[in-house]
Amino acid sequence: MNATPCLVIDPAVLQRTIDAMAALVGGQGLDLRPHVKTHKCLEIARLQRDAGARGITVATLGEAEVFAAAGFDDITVAYPVWVDEKSGARLRCLREQASVRVGVDSVDGARQIARHCPAAQVLVEIDSGHHRTGAGPAEAGAVAAAANQAGLEVAGVFTFPGHSYSPEARAQVAAAEQDALSAAVGSLSAQGIASPVVSGGSSPSAQFVRSGVLTELRPGAYVFNDAQQWELGACTAGDIALTVHATVVSHAGGRLVLDAGSKALAADRPAWASGSGRLLDHPDARIVMLSEHHAVCELDGPLPSLGSTVRVVPNHCCNAVALADEFVVGNWDGERLDEVDRWQVDARNRNH
């Protein structure tokens, strides 16, 4: 029996989620460039590549370095990177191993990249409504023109529709994303700059994307799914590939107390979420209290017995993975885990 808490992958469900997204995106005539910050794992990225993914998306140069060293040769860093002397040297080294694109969303950012990594390839990030990073769609052409003038290669535009993580908004966000990207493509065209890459997408909005202006999607969480995706309706319980196995340590107060707290599940809880996590085998249960090493869960009916194992679905799979060193890969029969492998979280702590 594995010590708990531990991060467990159901291999059959994992393969099913990978294949389903590949079919969904491919059916729209788009390329799939999964965001590997979700799993940070070479084994899983290879499964995605085998299913037809074209390249990968990463969050940091550190993640790019891990995957480039393992032979992944088509990488997008999907954030505006402020490149200084040290990161410029890293980016130049990466470009010797792989085709690497980095995000830029300002004239100053473009000039900074050119200063430390001449002739780098960039994608102009636009804000399609999430209001985190990105130039306005109408301003994308000016950023692209500045990048061109600085000697950079502009490959196109991208966005992240992060506000799709909202109940009842997924379809509208997907439509607004495509409108914003279309405007950005027009802004570049007005500067005489083509946009061979038009990149977007998120796991909650992926099923609403239609072919048109987009050329590729970059979803991440779909590979595992989590309590957020489940509650948003982007997946069902049968689509959950990743759980945290936890031991029932107490029935204090008539509730279930588990040995998996925020240091295993992560503390994410959006305002619309009904709890700090769910139990895969008890769909109506909710985690109502989360401390560092314990979770308190309310559920109707008989409580699982003291010492038994339950499968917890974290709210945000990406952050739960970031807290772990490895995945246990195995099949759960309701009482016992049949372990078949262990995979490393290869890019853990590569946060810069």
Side-chain angles (χ1 to χ4, degrees):
M1 183 174 177
N2 288 288
T4 58
C6 62
L7 214 53
V8 177
I9 291 173
D10 182 318
V13 179
L14 177 70
Q15 190 63 60
R16 192 161 67 243
T17 63
I18 290 172
D19 291 342
M21 184 61 76
L24 175 68
V25 175
Q28 292 294 329
L30 305 177
D31 291 327
L32 176 62
R33 184 180 295 274
H35 209 317
V36 300
K37 75 175 177 64
T38 294
H39 54 72
K40 304 178 186 290
C41 175
L42 297 173
E43 293 288 348
I44 297 174
R46 292 183 183 115
L47 292 174
Q48 291 173 310
R49 182 174 60 189
D50 291 346
R54 177 180 175 179
I56 60 172
T57 306
V58 298
T60 67
L61 293 180
E63 288 180 354
E65 287 164 341
V66 170
F67 284 88
F72 289 85
D73 61 2
D74 189 348
I75 302 172
T76 293
V77 185
Y79 294 93
V81 179
W82 186 260
V83 178
D84 58 17
E85 183 176 352
K86 289 185 178 179
S87 58
R90 293 169 67 194
L91 184 54
R92 294 194 300 272
C93 183
L94 273 168
R95 292 181 65 226
E96 293 175 359
Q97 304 174 68
S99 171
V100 180
R101 304 182 185 104
V102 297
V104 63
D105 70 352
S106 67
V107 169
D108 288 343
R111 292 170 178 165
Q112 186 75 4
I113 294 171
R115 185 174 298 119
H116 295 289
C117 190
Q121 191 176 78
V122 298
L123 291 170
V124 178
E125 182 176 14
I126 66 159
D127 178 8
S128 57
H130 186 42
H131 304 321
R132 182 181 66 184
T133 52
E139 301 162 3
V143 176
N148 260 355
Q149 291 164 9
L152 301 177
E153 178 185 350
V154 178
V157 296
F158 79 103
T159 191
F160 172 57
H163 52 313
S164 62
Y165 280 78
S166 174
E168 311 303 328
R170 295 183 294 139
Q172 297 94 316
V173 168
E177 172 193 31
Q178 295 190 73
D179 290 343
L181 285 169
S182 182
V185 169
S187 181
L188 265 67
S189 181
Q191 297 286 342
I193 302 171
S195 301
V197 176
V198 182
S199 181
S202 67
S203 294
S205 62
Q207 71 187 84
F208 299 102
V209 168
R210 298 294 178 261
S211 57
V213 65
L214 280 155
T215 65
E216 69 172 30
L217 257 62
R218 308 184 322 275
Y222 80 90
V223 73
F224 291 142
N225 289 308
D226 52 28
Q228 289 186 132
Q229 304 297 327
W230 190 2
E231 195 150 332
L232 287 168
C235 76
T236 67
D239 302 317
I240 304 291
L242 180 80
T243 55
V244 175
H245 283 211
T247 299
V248 179
V249 297
S250 176
H251 287 165
R255 301 185 293 184
L256 203 63
V257 184
L258 312 174
D259 67 350
S262 63
K263 289 185 174 178
L265 300 172
D268 295 47
R269 183 176 179 177
W272 47 263
S274 59
S276 294
R278 301 179 69 170
L279 301 188
L280 187 56
D281 303 306
H282 302 272
D284 294 331
R286 295 294 186 276
I287 293 175
V288 297
M289 184 186 301
L290 199 61
S291 56
E292 289 184 67
H293 296 286
H294 295 89
V296 177
C297 186
E298 292 183 347
L299 71 161
D300 295 329
L303 300 179
S305 62
L306 293 172
S308 65
T309 300
V310 296
R311 298 190 293 172
V312 183
V313 184
N315 269 349
H316 190 177
C317 57
C318 303
N319 283 358
V321 169
L323 298 171
D325 293 317
E326 66 179 4
F327 301 104
V328 178
V329 183
N331 302 300
W332 177 248
D333 67 4
E335 294 183 358
R336 187 180 304 276
L337 179 67
D338 177 20
E339 180 180 331
V340 297
D341 208 347
R342 294 204 175 207
W343 296 341
Q344 296 304 301
V345 183
D346 300 282
R348 189 186 180 203
N349 291 331
R350 299 304 297 264
N351 295 323
H352 57 80

